[in-house]
Amino acid sequence: MIDAAIMTGMPRTVESAFDEVVRRRETQVLRTAYRILGNWADAEDVAQEVFVRLHRHGLDFAAEAALGSWLYRVTVNLCFDRTRRAKPAEPLTEHRDGSVNAEASVLREEQKQRLMTALARLPEKERAAVVLREIEGLETAEVAEILGSSEVTVRSQISRALDRLRGWMEAR
Amino acid sequence: MNDDQMRDLFREMRDEPLPADSLARVRLAVAERVAQPVRRPFWLRWQVLAAGVVAAVVLVMVLRQPAQVPAPPVVVAKQEPRPVPPTPPQPIVTPQRKPPMRLPQATTRPKPRNTDPLIRLETPDPNVVIFLVADGAGE
């Protein structure tokens, strides 16, 4: 709703509207980048670049959903560029607050860690499809639009990816 | 691990809070980069510079040309028709027609002149002379 108010041209300056979009969307962008790239440093760089590009592009979006899709698309593309340039060899580590760690069971944390490691082994398209649909909770049609594929392709990629992930998780 | 368990793990990942320092770094870096003036790449700056130089040269060339003054209106004075001096009568030259070309005519062999014998008889009167012509048969 707040983003929609910004889009409809409330009496605010452009810069303050942009700052508000950054605050509302930074979690989405940073989380997506981190799940695809597997490390926080690269994810932060990508998130910065996404918002700088948004600033250049402007906030002229037809609807709230259009802004969300645009951010996802740019995030995924920048992550692909980065993974193609340099393969991340850094092990995946979760930066967790102490309070969160205290609440979570050790077994659960271990499972998540293994799942993240397995996710990093997937091909980039399959990884992005799983991140967008399973972690970000997008519809298959939205994922297909963001990745520039058909829905059938995305379903196939996700099914194949889940099979692989299950196999890797059980292999250990 | 089945698909449902895996999906539960994915859902938990989505709900996990992100590190506050990472978010703060992103926000700060974005604010800094957005506040900076847009820096053009090196090659683009050279292009802009070259275009500026060309524009300046063209401007100087245009300014150095003399200003074009509009041409004064042409005043045509009406003149009285001058008396035309009498011209001597020109000899009428009739075009001479070329003689028609004669087509070559078939040459005919000249007829042989009459070679009949002519006999002149003079009489005692000097004013009377008798000519006798004989035909080819001698008669």
Side-chain angles (χ1 to χ4, degrees):
Chain A
M1 286 296 288
I2 293 173
D3 287 348
I6 293 168
M7 297 304 150
T8 51
M10 293 286 108
R12 297 173 179 157
T13 64
V14 173
E15 291 306 317
S16 67
F18 174 74
D19 289 344
E20 195 160 341
V21 170
V22 172
R23 277 195 292 276
R24 298 290 300 173
R25 294 288 184 167
E26 62 187 1
T27 305
Q28 166 200 324
V29 172
L30 187 60
R31 183 178 55 221
T32 305
Y34 170 67
R35 296 302 177 193
I36 294 174
L37 293 171
N39 72 83
W40 288 106
D42 285 347
E44 287 172 20
D45 288 347
V46 165
Q48 281 178 37
E49 186 60 32
V50 169
F51 286 116
V52 169
R53 289 192 184 192
L54 175 66
H55 189 264
R56 280 191 219 135
H57 178 277
L59 299 177
D60 187 21
F61 291 94
E64 168 70 15
L67 170 65
S69 293
W70 189 90
L71 288 171
Y72 276 125
R73 188 160 53 246
V74 175
T75 304
V76 168
N77 287 337
L78 288 173
C79 288
F80 285 170
D81 289 346
R82 195 164 277 258
T83 51
R84 282 167 198 160
R85 268 188 271 136
K87 290 281 181 188
E90 187 181 327
L92 294 163
T93 54
E94 294 280 339
H95 291 231
R96 305 297 305 270
D97 292 337
S99 57
V100 176
N101 270 335
E103 292 172 7
S105 69
V106 174
L107 182 62
R108 198 71 172 163
E109 284 306 310
E110 189 188 346
Q111 279 182 329
K112 270 193 255 181
Q113 190 62 42
R114 282 170 53 202
L115 187 55
M116 275 296 289
T117 306
L119 197 60
R121 293 172 63 186
L122 288 174
E124 62 180 18
K125 284 269 185 182
E126 290 182 15
R127 195 186 329 151
V130 169
V131 167
L132 291 174
R133 206 186 73 171
E134 302 298 333
I135 299 180
E136 291 299 310
L138 301 182
E139 296 293 327
T140 307
E142 289 177 274
V143 177
E145 189 194 339
I146 290 165
L147 296 179
S149 310
S150 66
E151 289 188 46
V152 175
T153 305
V154 170
R155 280 200 197 92
S156 166
Q157 285 172 335
I158 290 174
S159 172
R160 197 165 48 240
L162 292 180
D163 284 346
R164 288 182 185 181
L165 290 174
R166 197 183 312 107
W168 290 330
M169 295 288 282
E170 289 170 354
R172 187 172 170 178
Chain B
M1 179 178 282
N2 59 28
D3 284 355
D4 289 340
Q5 289 172 324
M6 213 182 307
R7 288 206 164 93
D8 285 343
L9 284 176
F10 282 135
R11 214 168 293 124
E12 285 182 23
M13 286 179 179
R14 178 172 49 203
D15 296 337
E16 283 174 358
L18 300 183
D21 54 341
S22 283
L23 290 171
R25 275 197 295 271
V26 169
R27 210 176 296 165
L28 187 65
V30 170
E32 283 177 359
R33 289 180 63 183
V34 164
Q36 286 174 356
V38 179
R39 294 193 63 186
R40 291 193 174 91
F42 179 75
W43 59 270
L44 190 60
R45 275 183 278 165
W46 272 108
Q47 277 191 343
V48 171
L49 185 65
V53 168
V54 170
V57 169
V58 170
L59 188 66
V60 167
M61 288 175 67
V62 168
L63 290 177
R64 286 186 70 182
Q65 283 181 350
Q68 290 187 350
V69 180
V74 178
V75 179
V76 179
K78 280 192 174 179
Q79 293 181 347
E80 293 296 327
R82 290 181 181 174
V84 180
T87 54
Q90 297 287 329
I92 298 170
V93 178
T94 54
Q96 291 184 349
R97 299 182 69 181
K98 285 184 177 178
M101 290 181 66
R102 289 188 177 178
L103 292 175
Q105 292 180 351
T107 55
T108 54
R109 189 172 288 181
K111 290 180 179 177
R113 296 184 69 179
N114 195 359
T115 56
D116 293 341
L118 180 66
I119 299 167
R120 182 178 175 162
L121 297 177
E122 292 183 357
T123 62
D125 189 354
N127 296 323
V128 178
V129 177
I130 298 168
F131 287 95
L132 290 175
V133 178
D135 59 6
E139 293 178 352

